[in-house]
Amino acid sequence: MKYKSTRGQVSGLSFKDAVLMGLATDGGLLLPESIPHLNRGEIEALTKLAYPELAFQIISRFVDDIPSADLKTLIERSYATFTHDEITPVVHEDGIFVLELFHGPTLAFKDVALQLLGNLFQYLLKESGQKMNIIGATSGDTGSAAIYGVRGKENINIFILHPEGKVSPIQELQMTTVTEDNVFNLAIDGTFDDGQRIVKEIFGDLEFKSKYALGAVNSINWARVMAQVVYYFYAYGQVRKKTGADSVYFSVPTGNFGDIFAGYIAKRMGLPIKELILATNQNDILTRFVQTGTYSIGKVSPSISPSMDIQIASNFERYLYYLLGENPERVQQAMDEFSQDGSISVSEQELKRVQQEFTACTVSEAQTLETITDFYRLTSYVLDPHTAVGVHAGKTLCKGDAPLICLSTAHPSKFEAPVQSACGIIPRQPESLVGIESRPKRCEKIAASTELIKKFISERALS
Ligand SMILES: *Cc1c(COP(=O)(O)O)cnc(C)c1O
């Protein structure tokens, strides 16, 4: 399988090159040159596999330049860190199926992709004799999942900036209690936006970027999308086994369009998905797009589902590529328009197609809390606020003619305060959080200054 950019200036890349490139050098996002298609018989056979074997079957259709035995080992190692035998189990509560994606080391779905990405990076760097210094800014989940993805790995250092005192206490502890030598937590005296701006400025210094072989782990890496395709197949198989249904709804709480885009790829691969339900919180750029055909930037307003508080969905360009007839010139034009005007509109015919591919729903803060409360009263099952956004949207939009699978993207312990206010209990902490407050910590406080942070990195970067 070869990879190409949505903007047309990069093509013919191997999978390995695509993983190491991350963002395409023409500013676009990388996609496989074609999407493999599976027939019903092949899909039926996949439903019988355990998660790691299923992951190997799906992933190997996108990867032809890593020997099978090595790829198998990488996949097995990545999911051995999960605390549930099934990796991503499906539970049945109140008439819906909840796909639990939070059994990885940081208790959020990002582990599914970042555990694999960390192992892939280590494998590829060892092979090529290169080193990499990963830099990122986080408001919570991505930073901790990235740190857990590469902690202790050879030839990789990671520098993660977080706004001091502005991430949840648990998210902060998850990051700062990782004390491996290759992990650098930087608590900046500023906001998340400052962190993002600093990282952007550092990547913008091309000389610095190439001198220190800077890498990124944000949601634009193709390998992350690919790893997430797997659990759509897995969940379908589990629900098919339990109900005999041959088609399902998926409801996906969405921020950067990464998770739901993986569902879109699964559908294009032939997985019988009746509808993909896109669920947003009050930061609703994507719902507005599905409803009106206009993708226009708004102001971020902080919510109780903070991992979906985004203005620009970084994976949206991948979908746009397919929507605009796989025409890179049109994608380039649309993205230019977006950076000038903060808005893109698609044609009526294209909007029709969008609405055939997705339904969408915005869920308010009050509805989110109410969903957590009601679900708990009815079932004793505690939803985290992100998952609750998806459950509310799913219940609103599922027509009842096929089972509904709601993706659960985080463990409720990660977002304890809203959960406690909605159901009056503190969710039971998973093993990995017990005693976390008293573990040794490693974190540097630093001013929100690009120059100071570059100096910090240059003194500690691998080269
Ligand atoms: C990142 C995240 C999301 C949003 O995922 P996208 O791929 O950005 O759409 C939802 N829930 C949680 C808990 C997350 O960490």
Side-chain angles (χ1 to χ4, degrees):
M1 179 68 77
K2 296 285 188 236
Y3 288 82
K4 63 183 176 182
S5 164
T6 49
R7 301 202 187 172
Q9 307 297 310
V10 177
S11 62
L13 292 182
S14 67
F15 171 77
K16 289 181 191 173
D17 291 339
V19 171
L20 290 173
M21 188 176 278
L23 184 70
T25 46
D26 62 359
L29 299 182
L30 296 169
L31 281 169
E33 282 186 351
S34 63
I35 297 176
H37 194 270
L38 283 66
N39 63 36
R40 284 308 269 261
E42 290 172 307
I43 291 173
E44 203 59 32
L46 292 181
T47 65
K48 307 204 164 47
L49 301 179
Y51 195 96
E53 286 91 72
L54 173 65
F56 174 75
Q57 289 299 328
I58 300 286
I59 290 172
S60 58
R61 291 175 197 250
F62 293 99
V63 181
D64 55 12
D65 54 346
I66 295 178
S68 291
D70 291 0
L71 188 59
K72 262 194 183 135
T73 308
L74 288 171
I75 291 170
E76 273 159 21
R77 193 182 298 152
S78 302
Y79 297 113
T81 58
F82 280 59
T83 54
H84 197 287
D85 294 346
E86 281 195 62
I87 316 302
T88 65
V90 177
V91 300
H92 191 202
E93 301 281 354
D94 186 26
I96 65 172
F97 293 92
V98 178
L99 169 59
E100 295 185 342
L101 300 172
F102 54 70
H103 294 284
T106 71
L107 309 173
F109 91 100
K110 293 187 173 67
D111 289 326
V112 177
L114 286 168
Q115 285 292 305
L116 181 66
L117 188 63
N119 283 313
L120 275 169
F121 277 154
Q122 174 170 262
Y123 177 86
L124 299 181
L125 292 170
K126 184 163 191 182
E127 191 177 68
S128 64
Q130 290 169 292
K131 305 206 188 288
M132 181 188 276
N133 294 287
I134 293 171
I135 312 218
T138 190
S139 57
D141 282 351
T142 309
S144 53
I147 287 171
Y148 275 76
V150 303
R151 66 186 297 180
K153 298 258 189 291
E154 288 163 37
N155 303 317
I156 306 176
N157 276 359
I158 185 165
F159 300 84
I160 295 289
L161 281 55
H162 71 265
E164 191 189 356
K166 296 194 183 74
V167 300
S168 86
I170 285 177
Q171 288 175 326
E172 183 178 322
L173 284 164
Q174 281 184 320
M175 293 191 279
T176 58
T177 55
V178 176
T179 56
E180 271 89 348
D181 290 343
N182 71 328
V183 174
F184 298 92
N185 279 293
L186 296 172
I188 63 165
D189 166 21
T191 61
F192 171 57
D193 289 341
D194 292 326
Q196 273 199 312
R197 176 182 46 80
I198 291 167
V199 168
K200 221 171 171 180
E201 281 171 12
I202 295 175
F203 275 98
D205 180 345
L206 296 181
E207 199 181 320
F208 190 88
K209 181 175 177 228
S210 81
K211 179 164 179 200
Y212 295 107
L214 300 190
V217 283
N218 46 18
S219 41
I220 45 101
N221 201 300
W222 165 256
R224 286 184 64 178
V225 175
M226 177 187 76
Q228 291 170 187
V229 171
V230 176
Y231 51 68
Y232 284 88
F233 280 84
Y234 187 74
Y236 168 81
Q238 295 303 304
V239 170
R240 177 153 172 71
K241 258 190 257 174
K242 286 178 191 163
T243 65
D246 58 5
S247 149
V248 296
Y249 287 81
F250 278 104
S251 180
V252 189
T254 306
N256 271 316
F257 206 76
D259 201 357
I260 194 160
F261 183 72
Y264 173 79
I265 296 286
K267 192 173 180 183
R268 290 192 59 138
M269 290 175 77
L271 190 67
I273 299 178
K274 192 149 213 132
E275 266 175 31
L276 280 168
I277 299 170
L278 183 158
T280 51
N281 65 22
Q282 63 207 21
N283 296 287
D284 62 349
I285 177 168
L286 290 165
T287 296
R288 283 185 283 120
F289 172 70
V290 173
Q291 289 172 350
T292 67
T294 296
Y295 179 76
S296 75
I297 200 168
K299 208 172 158 277
V300 170
S301 98
S303 78
I304 54 170
S305 45
S307 301
M308 310 193 314
D309 293 348
I310 59 98
Q311 280 194 71
I312 300 178
S314 49
N315 270 288
F316 182 70
E317 182 170 340
R318 286 197 163 104
Y319 174 63
L320 203 57
Y321 176 80
Y322 293 111
L323 182 64
L324 300 182
E326 308 190 22
N327 179 340
E329 282 96 55
R330 288 197 62 202
V331 175
Q332 180 73 57
Q333 225 172 21
M335 295 315 290
D336 287 347
E337 199 179 306
F338 185 69
S339 50
Q340 274 160 29
D341 310 337
S343 172
I344 309 172
S345 291
V346 301
S347 72
E348 210 148 293
Q349 209 178 356
E350 285 153 356
L351 175 59
K352 241 188 218 142
R353 176 166 163 200
V354 172
Q355 293 175 343
Q356 279 161 6
E357 292 175 330
F358 301 96
T359 54
C361 176
T362 293
V363 181
S364 72
E365 298 282 272
Q367 287 168 327
T368 305
L369 287 168
E370 204 179 283
T371 303
I372 300 174
T373 307
D374 292 349
F375 208 79
Y376 178 65
R377 282 217 189 108
L378 226 62
T379 65
S380 305
Y381 186 94
V382 184
L383 299 169
D384 107 284
H386 304 78
T387 307
V389 167
V391 167
H392 182 92
K395 287 189 158 183
T396 309
L397 294 173
C398 174
K399 298 186 187 78
D401 50 350
L404 167 64
I405 303 173
C406 294
L407 272 58
S408 176
T409 52
H411 189 284
S413 283
K414 265 196 112 157
F415 301 93
E416 211 171 75
V419 170
Q420 191 182 359
S421 83
C423 34
I425 58 142
I426 298 178
R428 204 161 68 95
Q429 282 196 334
E431 200 71 30
S432 65
L433 292 182
V434 176
I436 194 170
E437 315 78 38
S438 48
R439 284 180 216 153
K441 296 185 188 66
R442 191 154 175 262
C443 182
E444 301 274 343
K445 288 185 192 185
I446 194 162
S449 145
T450 306
E451 281 320 304
L452 280 178
I453 291 171
K454 274 167 112 170
K455 183 161 177 288
F456 183 94
I457 292 169
S458 64
E459 287 164 3
R460 292 160 184 84
L462 293 172
S463 60

